[in-house]
Amino acid sequence: MKNFNKYRYIYFIILSIIPSFLLADQCPTPEKIKERNISREYDWTINERRTLKDVLSVEKLYSVRINNKAEYIACYYSGSRSLLRLDGKPLKQPCSVKEISGRWKLTENDEQICLEDDLGKCEYDMKCGDDQAVNQ
């Protein structure tokens, strides 16, 4: 019985660690925003003239971009009240944002734009330290 508990404990630890290595980040869906369930790995900001009603009225994610030489992710939403841009900068420094999956286009001003019809396919991740060879 002691071995069973020991293996169960090891299994629990492995399952807790592995998803953080396997899952990439995505712009939060409108549902996640309304539930206030967005990634805590990023410092999320919006325009200071926006209200909580503006944020909670988002209906559709329409664009995903990596801006300012991979400094932050920009998620663009439409809603019943207006358009909203939600920017996410990695909390860990020095870190940058790097595309992981999906089709991305690099523009002349070092902005990467998701080209997928399903924006959920454009995944990104934080790269820190030695992995910070993003757009250099």
Side-chain angles (χ1 to χ4, degrees):
M1 188 67 171
K2 283 187 177 182
N3 282 340
F4 177 73
N5 285 336
K6 181 172 109 177
Y7 291 121
R8 195 165 84 185
Y9 180 71
I10 292 170
Y11 182 70
F12 175 75
I13 290 173
I14 290 171
L15 286 179
S16 299
I17 295 171
I18 288 177
S20 64
F21 293 113
L22 297 177
L23 298 176
D25 295 319
Q26 300 172 319
C27 280
T29 63
E31 293 76 23
K32 285 187 177 187
I33 291 174
K34 291 174 186 177
E35 294 168 1
R36 298 177 178 106
N37 186 18
I38 61 176
S39 172
R40 303 288 185 230
E41 299 291 319
Y42 296 86
D43 179 19
W44 294 101
T45 58
I46 58 171
N47 183 304
E48 64 187 32
R49 291 176 279 194
R50 298 296 178 168
T51 66
L52 181 59
K53 283 185 179 182
D54 293 334
V55 175
L56 297 178
S57 72
V58 296
E59 295 173 356
K60 182 181 179 187
L61 174 66
Y62 71 87
S63 182
V64 177
R65 298 166 185 231
I66 298 174
N67 287 339
N68 203 23
K69 296 183 180 178
E71 181 182 358
Y72 64 93
I73 188 77
C75 308
Y76 295 82
Y77 300 88
S78 60
S80 59
R81 295 178 61 89
S82 63
L83 302 178
L84 179 84
R85 177 174 149 182
L86 182 64
D87 293 338
K89 184 175 181 178
L91 284 175
K92 296 176 188 174
Q93 292 298 323
C95 292
S96 58
V97 180
K98 176 160 177 69
E99 75 277 357
I100 298 296
S101 68
R103 291 182 304 122
W104 296 81
K105 177 184 177 184
L106 181 63
T107 66
E108 291 178 8
N109 60 351
D110 291 325
E111 179 180 59
Q112 294 169 276
I113 302 171
C114 173
L115 299 178
E116 295 288 345
D117 290 333
D118 176 3
L119 296 176
K121 291 180 180 178
C122 285
E123 297 178 321
Y124 55 90
D125 201 5
M126 212 181 304
K127 296 296 177 193
C128 305
D130 293 338
D131 293 336
Q132 195 180 349
V134 179
N135 290 334
Q136 292 184 0

